Every structure is written in structure tokens, then in C-alpha cells.
């Protein structure tokens, strides 16, 4: 069955330190992978996507994610966290079904707190 | 950056009635728009993808007759919740995709519409 897991409900990081928000998935084929961020009172924003090609994907606001096929992971990373990065982060996987349709599954979200 | 608006920002309707939510890309043309639903405990669900001038493509498990999507122009998509029930109460978010440099794209989200069905 298709699934996306964000194993941490919350991640706490000190400003200036590197951050990682984890995502693992289970799908039947070759997925498309996405990260989104939801800032307080600002709505959702698209961060980055992996479709094919280079496993390391660079996105908005200095974020990047690495597609690891063997570990079925797509962890979000940033070398140096900012207080303004504090938000809710969603990982999503788009899987193409045998029926010809497709389904996008979102993780439950990880709340990131960056302390000054 | 590009702006996507939604109208209304919140709506209360009675059970059995229909309600329409509009999504507009204000300063760019969007051949593709997406409709999402965010549940009370924050989880997100992609409902459907709409392409201008063609039928929407619904995700598996989403009732196409209940959630009618129309993408009549390059700047407007509408979601109509038909015969609404209290369980349809949710936060509905649209996004619009702008094509940049061929295959790449940017996706911009609207602020969302809070629907409450009484």
C-alpha cells in the first residue's frame, strides 16, 4: 500500500545549526516527490520537487532534499537554520497507479521550531 | 512573486446546499490548477488537478460528482461542493502552476477557504 511517513511530529533546532526533516515513502513505482511548507498565517508554499535526474534537489529558501531510492527516503535539509524557517513541513509522494490514474499522498507534517 | 486568490475566505452553508469556491491567479496564467483539502488535524489531501479547457483529473477516492471543478480560463478555476454535508466541512486550498523555462514550474497557493456546513 502507498504511504508516506514523516516520523517526527516536531523538530527543534538552534538557529545556525543544520536541520533535517525526515520523509520516507512506500509506493509501487517510481514516484514524484515534493516538499511543501506552511508558515503561520501565510498559507502553503511549494519548496521543491524530485521527478528524475540528480538525486540532490535544490529548492526555495536554501532548502534541499536528497532522493535515496534504496532507503526510499526524501529528507529535507538546510545547512543553517533561521528562526524564520519555523513552520509546518509536508512531504508528498505522487504515485502512478496501474489503473492509469495517480494518487498524491501527503505525510502528516512535521513542525519545525528554530530557536534563536 | 505570483499571487493566487481564493474567494470566499470563509463560508457557512446549510446541509444539502451547494457552495462554490473560486481560485484566481492574479498576475500570471495558470494552465494547471490544483485543489487540496486540509483536515482538522492538519493533514493534506490533493483532490484534483484541473487543466484549462479540459475535464479535471480527480485523485483516487475523490467523488467527482460531489466536488465539481471547472477551469474555464487561464486565470480561474472553481470548486463546487454539491449537496454539502457536515463532513465536507474543511479547509480547501487551491494552487496554480506557472510554467517556467519549459518543463520546470512554480506552484503558488491560495490562502484557503474555510467551509463550515451546518
Amino acid at each position: 500500500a502507498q504511504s508516506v511517513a514523516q516520523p517526527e511530529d516536531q523538530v527543534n533546532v538552534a538557529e545556525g545549526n543544520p536541520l533535517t526533516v525526515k520523509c520516507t515513502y512506500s509506493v509501487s513505482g517510481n514516484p514524484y516527490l515534493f516538499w511543501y511548507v506552511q508558515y503561520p498565517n501565510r498559507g502553503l508554499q511549494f519548496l521543491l520537487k524530485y521527478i528524475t535526474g540528480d538525486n540532490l534537489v535544490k529548492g526555495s529558501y536554501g532548502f534541499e532534499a536528497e532522493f535515496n531510492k534504496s532507503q526510499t527516503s526524501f529528507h529535507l535539509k538546510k545547512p543553517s537554520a533561521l528562526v524564520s524557517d519555523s513552520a509546518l513541513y509536508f512531504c508528498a509522494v505522487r504515485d502512478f497507479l496501474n489503473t492509469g490514474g495517480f494518487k498524491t499522498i501527503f505525510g502528516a507534517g512535521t513542525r519545525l521550531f528554530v530557536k534563536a | 512573486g505570483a499571487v493566487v486568490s481564493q474567494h470566499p475566505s470563509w463560508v457557512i452553508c446549510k446541509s444539502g446546499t451547494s457552495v462554490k469556491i473560486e481560485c484566481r491567479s492574479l498576475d500570471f496564467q495558470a494552465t494547471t490548477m490544483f485543489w487540496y483539502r486540509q483536515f482538522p488535524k492538519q493533514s493534506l489531501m490533493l483532490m484534483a488537478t484541473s487543466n484549462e479547457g479540459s475535464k479535471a483529473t480527480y485523485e483516487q477516492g475523490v467523488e467527482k460528482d460531489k466536488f465539481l471543478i471547472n477551469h474555464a480560463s487561464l486565470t480561474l478555476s472553481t470548486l463546487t461542493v454539491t449537496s454539502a454535508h457536515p463532513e465536507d466541512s474543511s479547509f480547501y486550498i487551491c494552487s496554480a502552476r506557472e510554467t517556467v523555462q519549459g518543463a520546470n514550474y512554480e506552484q503558488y497557493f491560495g490562502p484557503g477557504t474555510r467551509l463550515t456546513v451546518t
Side-chain angles (χ1 to χ4, degrees):
Chain A
Q2 303 151 318
S3 64
V4 176
Q6 291 182 242
E8 301 152 317
D9 291 337
Q10 183 172 311
V11 170
N12 298 310
V13 176
E15 188 173 36
N17 283 0
L19 70 87
T20 299
V21 183
K22 295 180 181 176
C23 174
T24 58
Y25 64 90
S26 173
V27 297
S28 56
N30 295 316
Y32 290 3
L33 298 156
F34 304 84
W35 275 101
Y36 299 89
V37 59
Q38 190 169 34
Y39 295 103
N41 304 317
R42 278 169 54 189
L44 269 171
Q45 292 186 36
F46 166 79
L47 271 182
L48 51 80
K49 69 182 186 295
Y50 171 83
I51 295 178
T52 187
D54 194 347
N55 289 345
L56 184 64
V57 180
K58 293 190 184 295
S60 305
Y61 312 120
F63 284 92
E64 59 187 29
E66 185 166 15
F67 170 58
N68 188 317
K69 189 171 184 177
S70 62
Q71 296 186 1
T72 60
S73 68
F74 190 57
H75 301 331
L76 181 71
K77 299 184 179 186
K78 186 172 182 180
S80 178
L82 299 172
V83 173
S84 56
D85 292 330
S86 299
L88 183 59
Y89 291 81
F90 292 99
C91 176
V93 173
R94 189 166 184 80
D95 191 20
F96 295 86
L97 308 173
N98 292 333
T99 54
F102 41 83
K103 186 163 181 68
T104 300
I105 307 163
F106 282 81
T110 298
R111 196 164 291 281
L112 173 68
F113 288 100
V114 181
K115 263 189 165 181
Chain B
V3 178
V4 176
S5 70
Q6 279 184 242
H7 178 80
S9 54
W10 60 270
V11 58
I12 301 172
C13 71
K14 290 187 177 179
S15 216
T17 63
S18 295
V19 60
K20 182 185 284 188
I21 303 169
E22 291 185 349
C23 176
R24 293 182 185 273
S25 58
L26 296 186
D27 48 3
F28 67 98
Q29 292 185 330
T31 52
T32 303
M33 289 185 172
F34 306 88
W35 286 95
Y36 299 81
R37 185 172 172 180
Q38 188 165 27
F39 295 91
K41 293 199 173 181
Q42 84 197 10
S43 67
L44 279 166
M45 178 183 80
L46 175 63
M47 299 173 67
T49 302
S50 75
N51 291 296
E52 185 265 338
S54 62
K55 288 184 180 179
T57 304
Y58 290 80
E59 295 288 297
Q60 188 184 50
V62 177
E63 297 177 66
K64 56 184 71 176
D65 293 332
K66 179 165 187 63
F67 298 100
L68 300 178
I69 291 171
N70 186 305
H71 193 159
S73 77
L74 286 172
T75 58
L76 173 64
S77 176
T78 59
L79 167 68
T80 302
V81 182
T82 62
S83 187
H85 289 281
E87 56 265 31
D88 298 327
S89 299
S90 196
F91 193 56
Y92 292 88
I93 305 170
C94 77
S95 77
R97 191 162 82 183
E98 179 183 37
T99 300
V100 177
Q101 294 181 344
N104 291 324
Y105 63 83
E106 291 290 338
Q107 187 179 2
Y108 303 98
F109 286 84
T113 296
R114 172 76 58 193
L115 169 64
T116 302
V117 185
T118 60

